[in-house]
Amino acid sequence: MTERETTRLVAWRQELSRVHTRLREALDVTRTALAAGTPGETATRDLLLYCHGFCTALDVHHQGEDRTLFPAIAAAHPELRPVLRALEQDHSMIAHLLGGLRTAVDHAAPPEELERHLEGIAAIMESHFRYEERHLLAVLETLELKAAPEEVLGPL
């Protein structure tokens, strides 16, 4: 294996870790904006921007994994198919939770309700990321996947 191939393979592991870090940060920014409690139209506009940006980023990340990354892992490591199925189920659950958050934000729900949505998303997202990192990071060091990281993991 050439140095360039090794660098590309290790980059997938680093890229997944980086994307997870950015999504965690985006959730923190969203929660901070909500906690700041700036009254009026500015707070609503900011929260819409943060929430929709975060929701879109997380959705795109999971869609890329389901469409490209997980099939490549399943082909190279069939023993990981149960892990991949569990992660895809998490993606579905997170998408449902994000839909609830979007609806709450669109309807100007009170801050307490928005925080409950964000708390639920944070809990499942963190559990999901840790499970995924525990089971897949080492695999990504050897995965032969010819695709742009932003196509697979989202444009973060």
Side-chain angles (χ1 to χ4, degrees):
M1 183 175 303
T2 69
E3 182 180 338
R4 181 171 182 229
E5 289 172 323
T6 302
T7 301
R8 182 181 55 79
L9 293 172
V10 172
W12 279 108
R13 175 191 172 119
Q14 294 168 346
E15 191 69 21
L16 182 64
S17 295
R18 187 181 71 80
V19 168
H20 284 180
T21 297
R22 295 287 304 274
L23 287 167
R24 287 175 175 118
E25 290 169 353
L27 180 60
D28 287 344
V29 166
T30 303
R31 293 180 90 177
T32 299
L34 178 60
T38 308
E41 189 177 305
T42 301
T44 302
R45 186 183 65 242
D46 288 350
L47 190 57
L48 278 168
L49 175 66
Y50 290 134
C51 286
H52 284 299
F54 167 73
C55 292
T56 299
L58 190 56
D59 270 344
V60 169
H61 171 68
H62 288 161
Q63 290 169 13
E65 286 181 334
D66 291 346
R67 181 183 59 250
T68 307
L69 184 62
F70 291 175
I73 292 171
H77 299 276
E79 73 280 6
L80 289 175
R81 286 191 175 134
V83 169
L84 299 172
R85 274 193 299 277
L87 290 168
E88 288 171 342
Q89 288 173 345
D90 283 356
H91 290 173
S92 178
M93 185 184 331
I94 291 169
H96 176 75
L97 294 172
L98 290 174
L101 174 62
R102 284 186 183 109
T103 299
V105 169
D106 289 343
H107 291 96
E112 307 78 39
E113 181 181 336
L114 295 171
E115 179 54 34
R116 282 194 305 275
H117 284 283
L118 290 171
E119 190 173 307
I121 291 167
I124 189 70
M125 186 181 87
E126 189 58 37
S127 170
H128 171 80
F129 285 174
R130 287 177 188 240
Y131 182 77
E132 187 172 60
E133 290 164 358
R134 213 172 33 252
H135 291 281
L136 299 185
L137 285 184
V139 168
L140 291 177
E141 290 181 359
T142 61
L143 185 68
E144 302 247 2
L145 181 60
K146 295 181 182 185
E150 49 285 342
E151 286 177 26
V152 177
L153 301 175
L156 289 177

